[in-house]
Amino acid sequence: MAAVGLTFVWRLLRSGPRPGLCGAGGREPGAAPRRAIGHGRVAVELDSSAGVAVMKMENLPVNSLSLDFLTEFLISLEKLENDRGCRGVILTSGAPKIFSAGLDIMEMYGKSAEHYAEFWKAVQEMWLRLYQSNMVTIAAINGSSPAGGCLMAMSCDYRIMAENPKYSIGLNETQLGIVAPFWFKDTLVNTIGNRATERSLELGLLYSPPEAHKIGLVDQLVPEEKIQSTAAAVMSQWLAIPDHARQITKSMMRKPTVDRLLAHRESDIQNFVSFITKDSIQKSLQMYMEMLKQRRG
């Protein structure tokens, strides 16, 4: 999955919790309504007056989903979830031209089986937390989003993509002989329907913004310079709905998909470890990384 994302990104590039993130007390008297919190690979800015946070992925150069990044992401998301004054999150990228390249290939090569299991559990946890978040989640997709990056975007309640012909989005795993996990597939089915998912996964398709909008993979296209303002406007519409009614409805729609992974979580981890530790897969990953080094050199 990471290899698929990084192959695409190469082509594109060539042409612990910290205090004060989102405390339960909310905005302190006299404090500015916006608070910027540097968190390494994930920057969070909370607008206390609006109850909306912006999570900006800054795991440069391509926001690959490494174990360290996923850990920081989960810490930040949990803090926002625990803040009663934070009702919505806009997820976006601080990297040029890329939303997220997907899973980090370095987490899947030359490591122990225990490391692979820990990494895959973190990927599962990212999806579980984001997909069933009680907050309104909006993906402001300001760059390409292949493979795991597409999964991240699909996990949000609403997706806005920059209308740039150089950007694309999709689960393109099969292009490198990899099968997307069942919960990737389930998320895509819930987003674009069974037949479109079947075609998309079998062919490993990456969609241009207009194509992604046409099949429902993204909800709205806007000029890149308007993506953040549009996300804020859409967030206001979603926050106008009483939280309890929206949250119960969201759970009703998504719980069966979540429960399926929870029921098979350990076997899914074992399947991933079994796959990634195969000599043939490790050799392919090694050859791929050597190819990238040669190109960069």
Side-chain angles (χ1 to χ4, degrees):
M1 284 154 278
V4 179
L6 287 178
T7 297
F8 171 80
V9 169
W10 171 251
R11 295 171 184 163
L12 176 66
L13 293 181
R14 289 197 65 181
S15 64
R18 300 188 180 181
L21 174 62
C22 235
R27 182 182 173 186
E28 296 179 3
R34 290 183 182 272
R35 288 183 288 153
I37 302 96
H39 211 312
R41 297 169 179 85
V42 182
V44 180
E45 182 181 80
L46 172 66
D47 184 339
S48 300
S49 61
V52 177
V54 175
M55 292 183 70
K56 184 177 292 186
M57 296 180 285
E58 294 187 341
N59 193 26
L60 303 178
V62 294
N63 289 331
S64 56
L65 306 182
S66 65
L67 182 57
D68 286 343
F69 170 83
L70 291 169
T71 300
E72 291 187 20
F73 180 85
L74 289 167
I75 289 171
S76 297
L77 190 63
E78 183 177 10
K79 280 182 169 289
L80 295 174
E81 289 277 6
N82 291 336
D83 186 341
R84 294 181 181 179
C86 188
R87 300 174 59 209
V89 174
I90 297 171
L91 179 63
T92 192
S93 168
K97 303 180 182 179
I98 189 78
F99 182 73
S100 170
L103 307 187
D104 190 338
I105 193 173
M106 296 304 297
E107 300 288 0
M108 300 186 288
Y109 174 74
K111 305 291 195 304
S112 66
E114 291 75 17
H115 178 89
Y116 297 140
E118 182 184 9
F119 172 63
W120 195 245
K121 187 173 183 178
V123 176
Q124 292 177 333
E125 193 67 20
M126 176 274 293
W127 177 78
L128 288 167
R129 296 281 189 90
L130 192 56
Y131 195 64
Q132 59 183 337
S133 173
N134 280 327
M135 297 180 292
V136 175
T137 54
I138 294 177
I141 309 167
N142 54 343
S144 289
S145 192
C150 178
L151 178 73
M152 254 189 150
M154 288 193 298
S155 301
C156 295
D157 296 312
Y158 195 86
R159 287 163 294 284
I160 305 166
M161 190 170 188
E163 197 167 8
N164 187 322
K166 294 182 179 180
Y167 297 164
S168 61
I169 184 171
L171 296 181
N172 57 329
E173 282 79 357
T174 52
Q175 289 187 21
L176 285 186
I178 299 172
V179 178
F182 71 86
W183 43 285
F184 282 51
K185 180 268 295 180
D186 290 346
T187 307
L188 190 58
V189 168
N190 291 348
T191 305
I192 66 174
N194 194 82
R195 175 54 187 153
T197 294
E198 185 176 20
R199 180 172 176 270
S200 177
L201 291 182
E202 288 192 25
L203 296 177
L205 297 178
L206 285 171
Y207 297 95
S208 67
E211 291 169 337
H213 184 246
K214 183 178 181 180
I215 65 171
L217 186 53
V218 300
D219 298 298
Q220 190 173 353
L221 301 179
V222 297
E224 192 157 0
E225 65 273 12
K226 294 184 178 180
I227 194 166
Q228 297 301 328
S229 60
T230 303
V234 171
M235 179 65 76
S236 296
Q237 296 174 354
W238 282 68
L239 292 182
I241 304 299
D243 286 344
H244 71 282
R246 178 189 51 76
Q247 291 165 356
I248 292 171
T249 302
K250 180 175 182 175
S251 177
M252 179 175 62
M253 296 297 297
R254 297 191 171 192
K255 190 174 185 297
T257 306
V258 169
D259 286 347
R260 187 170 178 224
L261 175 57
L262 292 176
H264 301 92
R265 190 169 188 179
E266 288 305 317
S267 62
D268 182 61
I269 292 173
Q270 292 170 13
N271 288 340
F272 173 77
V273 173
S274 176
F275 172 79
I276 210 66
T277 53
K278 289 181 179 179
D279 289 341
S280 59
I281 299 302
Q282 287 292 301
K283 185 176 180 180
S284 295
L285 292 176
Q286 182 182 16
M287 292 174 62
Y288 175 76
M289 289 188 293
E290 289 174 352
M291 178 188 68
L292 283 183
K293 289 180 181 178
Q294 292 174 359
R295 288 181 177 178
R296 288 169 182 165

